[in-house]
Amino acid sequence: KAGVTQTPRYLIKTRGQQVTLSCSPISGHRSVSWYQQTPGQGLQFLFEYFSETQRNKGNFPGRFSGRQFSNSRSEMNVSTLELGDSALYLCASGGGTPNTEAFFGQGTRLTVV
Amino acid sequence: AQSVTQLDSQVPVFEEAPVELRCNYSSSVSVYLFWYVQYPNQGLQLLLKYLSGSTLVESINGFEAEFNKSQTSFHLRKPSVHISDTAEYFCAVSPSGNTGKLIFGQGTTLQVKP
């Protein structure tokens, strides 16, 4: 079956703009999580959505938000972009229950200039 | 709160030599433990996981990891590495079994030399 699909793969934005990233999970998966990966901070958990509800949230400012649709597809939005938001953003999908594996997409590389 | 420490940022090793990538975690609750691998410009792939039961877990490509509760460690080992194992390896914990929230270590770059 198809894996986790993230679009777009690469994105260049200007400081102050906003951006929306998309993630289509594996069919049947109800949990979608987002992570930010940077050389300095490593992999950091942003938030998890399960059945359209935010179930967990990491320690990021309110400029980072997300949502999940009824078909489990998820979007992540970052407003008022800062240079430090440049990162690889990874989406993971899973069954949302213990013992279920998280499958990762290839990520969206965001560059803020 | 949970945290994960990968003790080595880079591990250089010659092909066919054994390797150990070290991981220690801190948690006040039971956790699930994972090792993920990331190749350049790729997402993360699950290498192996410890949920319960036998403390030694193995992957299909020759890696193994042992859960040591007393030392709060989950070190990754391979008896003989290949060039193709060159990648970044991440140890992660999932608090309370929710694999939707993973706490990652800083990663270890394994550099296999010919």
Side-chain angles (χ1 to χ4, degrees):
Chain A
K1 58 186 176 184
V4 180
T5 304
Q6 291 189 245
T7 56
R9 288 291 311 278
Y10 301 91
L11 206 49
I12 300 175
K13 289 287 188 179
T14 303
R15 194 171 47 180
Q17 288 186 312
Q18 75 166 12
V19 67
T20 299
L21 312 182
S22 179
C23 174
S24 293
I26 292 171
S27 178
H29 283 185
R30 297 161 64 190
S31 168
V32 174
S33 303
W34 290 89
Y35 296 84
Q36 181 195 65
Q37 185 177 22
T38 59
Q41 299 298 317
L43 276 158
Q44 294 186 285
F45 172 75
L46 279 155
F47 30 66
E48 180 204 7
Y49 285 85
F50 181 80
S51 294
E52 301 180 65
T53 301
Q54 189 179 83
R55 185 159 73 170
N56 280 292
K57 188 177 188 304
N59 190 25
F60 277 80
R63 300 185 298 107
F64 292 81
S65 63
R67 59 178 175 169
Q68 186 180 32
F69 302 95
S70 58
N71 62 357
S72 291
R73 189 178 71 85
S74 177
E75 289 182 345
M76 190 192 90
N77 185 76
V78 187
S79 62
T80 319
L81 284 165
E82 301 177 359
L83 296 179
D85 297 332
S86 295
L88 180 66
Y89 289 88
L90 292 165
C91 165
S93 87
T97 58
N99 297 341
T100 58
E101 177 184 339
F103 293 86
F104 283 80
Q106 290 191 301
T108 294
R109 172 76 63 183
L110 172 65
T111 302
V112 182
V113 298
Chain B
Q2 294 76 33
S3 66
V4 178
T5 302
Q6 291 184 242
L7 297 161
D8 306 293
S9 59
Q10 294 189 358
V11 173
V13 63
F14 287 105
E15 194 173 18
E16 298 184 5
V19 70
E20 179 180 77
L21 307 184
R22 297 179 293 169
C23 171
N24 285 92
Y25 70 93
S26 172
S27 176
S28 57
V29 300
S30 296
V31 295
Y32 292 174
L33 295 155
F34 305 84
W35 275 99
Y36 280 87
V37 60
Q38 185 177 36
Y39 299 100
N41 299 315
Q42 299 286 319
L44 298 169
Q45 299 173 30
L46 181 67
L47 199 55
L48 44 76
K49 60 186 177 185
Y50 171 77
L51 305 180
S52 63
S54 173
T55 57
L56 184 66
V57 290
E58 299 176 350
S59 72
I60 58 173
N61 54 358
F63 283 95
E64 65 178 31
E66 186 160 19
F67 169 58
N68 188 319
K69 188 174 183 179
S70 63
Q71 297 186 4
T72 61
S73 67
F74 191 54
H75 301 331
L76 181 70
R77 302 185 186 96
K78 189 171 186 180
S80 176
V81 294
H82 303 290
I83 295 288
S84 59
D85 292 324
T86 296
E88 191 156 18
Y89 293 79
F90 293 92
C91 181
V93 300
S94 163
S96 303
N98 177 11
T99 55
K101 178 180 180 181
L102 295 170
I103 309 300
F104 286 93
Q106 285 292 96
T108 297
T109 300
L110 176 61
Q111 302 164 322
V112 182
K113 304 175 183 179

